[in-house]
Amino acid sequence: MKTNSLFNPSAQFLLPIPFQIKKKKVEYPRVVSLWLSPLGNGELSFKPGQFLMVYVFGVGEVALSIAEKDETEESYVLTIRSVGTVTRALEHCKQGDIVGIRGPFGKGWPLEEAVSKDILLVAGGIGLPPLWSTLPFIFKDRSNYGEVFLLYGARSPHDILYKESWESLSKQKELVLKISVELATSRNWNGSIGNVISLVDSLRFNPQSVVAFVCGPEPMMRFCAYALLKRGVAKESIYFSMERNMRCAIGSCGHCQFGPLFLCKNGPVFSYKTIEPFLNIPEI
């Protein structure tokens, strides 16, 4: 399929392209997944961890990570938590509605750094979609990597994303999958209880040969880094996907400035070594 030139940042990167909502799924209250298809010809070429600017006409624009490309539906899947005006509008969009898309933008997960090494994916809550997008790329070139671990922490069994996919994913022999929830009873959950950091602590891996990709609330990511550092993982081998209020997505407006960095242009994925000096600075 021909790549749409309008997705080229050197072209009209500020002009939203119309996409239609082909399918909508409520993951759990206030969190929905949308399947978006371009109205015209073209394919959205992206790297796992990159993000799109999604424009709700008459309301505003918001940055959202790409969760996956659904080849069956010929759509791109975005998962949204309703926390503001634009995301609330997206939550209430209907199948057939049109939104504007710019992007993809930013630097994604450095899978090339993980070649011949183990990959540790650690997701907390709504931080799962940016890591979910790595799985097809990893499985496509599975022989390039050592062991692959996916650790996911959710608040409760009701807050687990993509529930219909976990059973098939758990049957993947080449993936070590662990899920933990913080709040559960024996009636609704028979798995691990606790935060996702406890899963990191219980895992066996060679710290000298692992690359960790982490996404979730910033405190969770910081404590995950502490746990990994304690295990002997190098700062250069730990990567975070950061979130801030992105507007222009090209590093011009300054809304997502983080110290000397712009999350939209220099990130949103950074090595822990790069961003550690700025993580504990108030109001940065």
Side-chain angles (χ1 to χ4, degrees):
M1 188 179 289
K2 182 180 178 182
T3 299
N4 193 323
S5 63
L6 290 178
F7 293 127
N8 184 342
S10 65
Q12 302 208 15
F13 47 80
L14 294 179
L15 179 66
I17 305 301
F19 274 59
Q20 187 171 47
I21 298 175
K22 196 171 182 179
K23 181 179 169 183
K24 175 182 174 181
K25 178 178 179 292
V26 177
E27 300 286 350
Y28 53 83
R30 298 177 59 200
V31 176
V32 300
S33 290
L34 301 178
W35 279 249
L36 304 178
S37 296
L39 281 182
N41 294 325
E43 183 176 2
L44 180 59
S45 177
F46 71 97
K47 295 179 179 178
Q50 287 189 301
F51 67 93
L52 299 174
M53 296 302 296
V54 182
Y55 184 65
V56 181
F57 297 103
V59 180
E61 197 175 39
V62 66
L64 293 169
S65 295
I66 305 167
E68 66 174 314
K69 180 183 179 183
D70 187 327
E71 299 288 353
T72 304
E73 297 284 350
E74 296 183 338
S75 301
Y76 301 90
V77 183
L78 307 180
T79 298
I80 302 111
R81 179 174 58 185
S82 176
V83 293
T85 305
V86 182
T87 51
R88 194 174 302 119
L90 286 169
E91 178 193 6
H92 295 291
C93 278
K94 302 182 298 295
Q95 184 177 341
D97 285 352
I98 306 297
V99 296
I101 295 291
R102 293 192 293 125
F105 294 107
K107 296 178 180 177
W109 302 107
L111 283 173
E112 65 280 0
E113 298 289 333
V115 171
S116 76
K117 298 181 179 178
D118 297 338
I119 302 179
L120 174 57
L121 309 173
V122 186
I126 198 69
L128 179 61
L131 290 168
W132 195 259
S133 67
T134 65
L135 296 177
F137 290 83
I138 292 172
F139 289 139
K140 180 183 175 184
D141 298 312
R142 184 62 186 84
S143 61
N144 285 348
Y145 310 105
E147 285 205 80
V148 179
F149 307 93
L150 172 58
L151 311 182
Y152 176 45
R155 187 170 182 273
S156 77
H158 300 293
D159 300 320
I160 293 175
L161 290 173
Y162 315 142
K163 292 185 180 73
E164 71 285 356
S165 300
W166 290 107
E167 183 176 352
S168 60
L169 201 59
S170 66
K171 296 177 181 176
Q172 286 275 356
K173 295 181 179 177
E174 298 182 323
L175 175 73
V176 178
L177 172 64
K178 293 180 179 292
I179 303 175
S180 184
V181 300
E182 296 182 9
L183 301 172
T185 67
S186 57
R187 292 184 177 180
N188 64 0
W189 182 249
N190 59 5
S192 299
I193 296 179
N195 62 45
V196 72
I197 310 302
S198 63
L199 297 179
V200 176
D201 292 335
S202 67
L203 211 60
R204 290 186 177 182
F205 57 84
N206 179 357
Q208 308 304 318
S209 182
V210 68
V211 175
F213 299 159
V214 186
C215 189
E218 275 188 31
M220 168 248 151
M221 292 197 293
R222 286 202 302 271
F223 281 99
C224 185
Y226 300 156
L228 292 170
L229 292 171
K230 189 176 178 182
R231 296 283 297 274
V233 180
K235 293 180 181 179
E236 299 90 335
S237 298
I238 303 170
Y239 291 87
F240 287 3
S241 181
M242 301 293 292
E243 182 180 349
R244 285 293 187 277
N245 184 12
M246 299 180 193
R247 294 286 180 86
C248 70
I250 55 174
S252 294
C253 73
H255 274 86
C256 66
Q257 187 166 2
F258 190 68
L261 305 168
F262 293 95
L263 265 59
C264 65
K265 185 174 72 173
N266 305 120
V269 175
F270 297 94
S271 74
Y272 181 67
K273 183 178 181 180
T274 300
I275 59 169
E276 182 193 15
F278 315 110
L279 284 174
N280 293 314
I281 300 176
E283 305 298 331
I284 191 170

